[in-house]
Amino acid sequence: MQIKKIETLITSPGPNYLVVKIITNDGIIGYGDACLDGRTLAVKSVIDDYLSDWLQGYDVDRIEDIWQMVYRGTYWRGGPVILGALAGIDMALWDIKAKRANLPLYSLLGGKSRDKVRVYHHVHGQTDEKLIDRCHKKIEEGITYLRYSFDTEDPFKKDVFFKQPHQDVELGRIEVTDAKNEGQWDSAAYAEDLIRVTRMLREKLPPEISILHDVHGRLSGVEAARVAKELEKYNLFFLEDPVDHMNKKALKHIKNNSIIPVAIGELYNTIYDCSELIVNQLVDYIRVDISHFGGITPLVKLARLAEVYGVKTAFHGPSDISPLAHAAMLHVDMTVPNLGIQESVNFNKQIMDIFDTGYYLEEGYLKIKDRPGLGVIVNEDEAKNYPYQRKYMPILRDKMGALHNW
Ligand code: GCO
Ligand code: MG
């Protein structure tokens, strides 16, 4: 069976979702996710202008070979744009393979290791009261793992806030909009506030509720090590991206000074970028993003490597990748023995009308329906109601006007 056609489709019911559709010569259709927040059209061009002609006629069964061919055969390797395009192709090919077998994807990946997958959701509040309210709302929904974020008021300037990233499609909040919209940042004020807010949450939330925080790579090694040491007593499930992901040696500093579990990974694009963290035990949860990492094929390899070294998975599951990507990750989560947790979101009605997900949340866990393939039904007519909108990632600057990690 051969690849007859590869198409792309963008739908923007909030975030821009880039969907890859592969049609085989005997009419089987596979879908994949190639979302890349802020650079959607660049990924689309890689698929439409380079890969779709090239891959036409290849045997759909040979997923690994196609993966290697696109990854190594382009000579100029790597980066989220190419790995994003490859992710979309790879997911669509796995969707086709499992549909041909008339089995859910997890079955082809080794079968279920568990019946359901625990998840964490985001909670954000500009003030302590709003944050606690949002936590209670999520706890009522059955979510017991909460990733908290908050805004820190500038101690020197009233009404200036140092904001942390939080997109929330459930509440209709999308951050990625205007390139000229530059925020302000001060790491010292944030670090103090993080320690205060964490203490406050631990005091106010029941002890059985797990909390976790995403630093988003905004601290230096020594700043992060100090914060990690202070936070140790509040029993975080993990501290995410405590330093810039390329500053790998700084993780050693954190590890040498605290026993806080560390999670990192959403900004890596290949297994070659992050395997040393696993092998050297500098990470406890590896959390790459399937759509920026080349798809299911490398995700499974990474999970297997992590298994050998006792590292758990906590794959990146924000709202800026579509339910197709979330479904694909869930199939992997179902099978790997070393699942830690899955980051997840409640997609809103507009998004769910486009993507009938094939998975559902029940009492804080994701379950999956036994549909063939990835199990997602894409309503293309509905998708067309939401045309592409140009969006940019936010920019942050410190008090001297220099760019800071967002
Ligand atoms: C996370 C991520 C997101 C990113 C977003 C970028 O851990 O979920 O850090 O919040 O900011 O995916 O578009
Ligand atoms: Mg993150």
Side-chain angles (χ1 to χ4, degrees), residues 37 122 147 214 216 240 266 287 316 320 343 393 406:
D37 223 3
H122 294 193
R147 186 203 90 159
D214 184 355
H216 232 244
E240 179 189 340
E266 66 189 53
R287 42 177 288 98
H316 186 226
D320 46 79
E343 183 183 28
M393 304 300 278
W406 168 59

Side-chain angles (χ1 to χ4, degrees), residues 212-278:
L212 44 142
H213 180 73
D214 184 355
V215 177
H216 232 244
R218 289 168 164 192
L219 295 178
S220 69
V222 70
E223 286 166 345
R226 185 188 150 252
V227 165
K229 201 171 168 183
E230 286 285 328
L231 294 183
E232 213 177 57
K233 53 181 171 289
Y234 301 117
N235 196 18
L236 260 63
F237 185 73
F238 61 59
L239 188 66
E240 179 189 340
D241 287 352
V243 288
D244 187 287
H245 68 293
M246 294 313 279
N247 193 4
K248 296 177 196 168
K249 286 203 175 118
L251 291 172
K252 209 171 197 170
H253 201 33
I254 297 167
K255 283 280 169 207
N256 286 343
N257 285 290
S258 72
I259 49 163
I260 200 161
V262 171
I264 198 159
E266 66 189 53
L267 286 162
Y268 298 123
N269 302 124
T270 68
I271 194 164
Y272 316 104
D273 303 333
C274 56
S275 56
E276 69 190 90
L277 299 181
I278 294 172

Side-chain angles (χ1 to χ4, degrees), residues 172-189:
R173 191 180 187 289
I174 307 295
E175 234 153 10
V176 186
T177 46
D178 181 1
K180 303 246 161 59
N181 185 7
E182 296 188 351
Q184 296 184 42
W185 185 251
D186 183 73
S187 288

Side-chain angles (χ1 to χ4, degrees), residues 117-366:
V117 167
R118 73 174 162 203
V119 299
Y120 71 86
H121 277 196
H122 294 193
V123 284
H124 181 89
Q126 193 181 24
T127 61
D128 290 3
E129 292 68 32
K130 285 184 181 156
L131 179 57
I132 284 286
D133 278 359
R134 191 77 187 129
C135 289
H136 284 304
K137 166 99 196 349
K138 282 286 163 193
I139 294 168
E140 276 161 32
E141 279 176 26
I143 304 294
T144 54
Y145 293 80
L146 303 172
R147 186 203 90 159
Y148 59 101
S149 58
F150 47 90
D151 297 342
T152 295
E153 192 170 35
D154 186 336
F156 298 101
K157 248 190 206 167
K158 280 263 160 261
D159 299 328
V160 172
F161 287 90
F162 308 127
K163 297 188 175 168
Q164 293 157 40
H166 76 286
Q167 315 226 42
D168 197 333
V169 284
E170 200 181 340
L171 301 179
R173 191 180 187 289
I174 307 295
E175 234 153 10
V176 186
T177 46
D178 181 1
K180 303 246 161 59
N181 185 7
E182 296 188 351
Q184 296 184 42
W185 185 251
D186 183 73
S187 288
Y190 156 71
E192 288 319 304
D193 213 22
L194 173 57
I195 295 163
R196 185 193 65 75
V197 171
T198 308
R199 186 190 322 119
M200 184 278 294
L201 286 177
R202 257 312 34 133
E203 281 166 9
K204 298 210 164 145
L205 295 177
E208 63 275 17
I209 298 302
S210 295
I211 56 171
L212 44 142
H213 180 73
D214 184 355
V215 177
H216 232 244
R218 289 168 164 192
L219 295 178
S220 69
V222 70
E223 286 166 345
R226 185 188 150 252
V227 165
K229 201 171 168 183
E230 286 285 328
L231 294 183
E232 213 177 57
K233 53 181 171 289
Y234 301 117
N235 196 18
L236 260 63
F237 185 73
F238 61 59
L239 188 66
E240 179 189 340
D241 287 352
V243 288
D244 187 287
H245 68 293
M246 294 313 279
N247 193 4
K248 296 177 196 168
K249 286 203 175 118
L251 291 172
K252 209 171 197 170
H253 201 33
I254 297 167
K255 283 280 169 207
N256 286 343
N257 285 290
S258 72
I259 49 163
I260 200 161
V262 171
I264 198 159
E266 66 189 53
L267 286 162
Y268 298 123
N269 302 124
T270 68
I271 194 164
Y272 316 104
D273 303 333
C274 56
S275 56
E276 69 190 90
L277 299 181
I278 294 172
V279 172
N280 294 317
Q281 305 277 290
L282 292 174
V283 62
D284 302 281
Y285 293 89
I286 189 75
R287 42 177 288 98
V288 299
D289 181 311
I290 188 169
S291 304
H292 310 153
F293 195 74
I296 294 161
T297 302
L299 199 69
V300 171
K301 287 182 195 173
L302 182 77
R304 299 293 187 221
L305 176 75
E307 180 199 341
V308 175
Y309 288 90
V311 170
K312 294 192 170 167
T313 63
F315 298 135
H316 186 226
S319 55
D320 46 79
I321 52 175
S322 81
L324 276 163
H326 283 256
M329 283 190 288
L330 194 60
H331 283 275
V332 178
D333 292 335
M334 277 291 179
T335 64
V336 296
N338 52 325
L339 167 86
I341 198 163
Q342 176 61 56
E343 183 183 28
S344 188
V345 287
N346 282 343
F347 286 108
N348 61 28
K349 186 174 176 324
Q350 285 105 304
I351 298 171
M352 297 294 276
D353 284 348
I354 300 169
F355 301 95
D356 172 354
T357 59
Y359 65 80
Y360 56 98
L361 187 67
E362 196 177 275
E363 293 174 356
Y365 293 86
L366 283 177

